[in-house]
């Protein structure tokens, strides 16, 4: 089962990080951090890795939650993108 090996998750995170550099959109970086976290959990071992290895859907849920949390934190750190259009709430003629 390749999804229980720690290096596969780390390699996936590295590939996603490289894709983020090639296509900067600040979305793939959250997935890269999530994959690296799951790979680290498998690499450390112990009861958490046994618990994750018991079920593939459970591993995907942990990956998704870690990716979402990493994306939210990175979005707070990076802030609003300056190339987004400004939305005007009022008209200049009012």
């Amino acid at each position: 089962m390749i999804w229980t090996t720690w290096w596969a998750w780390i390699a996936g995170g590295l590939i996603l990080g490289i894709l983020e550099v090639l296509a900067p959109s600040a979305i793939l970086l959250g997935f890269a951090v999530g994959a690296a976290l799951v790979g680290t959990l498998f690499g450390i071992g112990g009861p958490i890795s046994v618990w994750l290895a018991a079920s593939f859907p459970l591993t995907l849920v942990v990956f998704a939650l870690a990716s979402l949390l990493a994306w939210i934190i990175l979005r707070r750190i990076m802030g609003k993108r300056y190339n987004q259009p400004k939305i005007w709430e009022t008209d200049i003629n009012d």
Side-chain angles (χ1 to χ4, degrees):
M1 294 185 279
I2 190 75
W3 57 272
T4 60
T5 56
W6 65 272
W7 59 266
W9 285 98
I10 299 292
L14 185 63
I15 290 170
L16 287 170
I18 290 170
L19 287 175
E20 177 65 38
V21 171
L22 295 176
S25 60
I27 293 175
L28 296 177
L29 194 57
F31 289 119
V33 171
L37 179 72
V38 172
T40 304
L41 289 175
F42 275 125
I44 290 173
I48 294 176
S49 66
V50 172
W51 181 65
L52 284 177
S55 160
F56 181 64
L58 181 64
T59 305
L60 289 181
V61 167
V62 170
F63 167 66
L65 290 176
S67 298
L68 178 66
L69 185 64
W71 183 82
I72 289 171
I73 291 171
L74 289 170
R75 186 71 175 158
R76 293 256 181 196
I77 291 171
M78 287 190 241
K80 181 180 180 265
R81 287 182 243 151
Y82 293 109
N83 60 353
Q84 290 179 342
K86 182 172 173 128
I87 298 175
W88 297 94
E89 299 294 331
T90 60
D91 188 15
I92 195 169
N93 296 321
D94 285 341

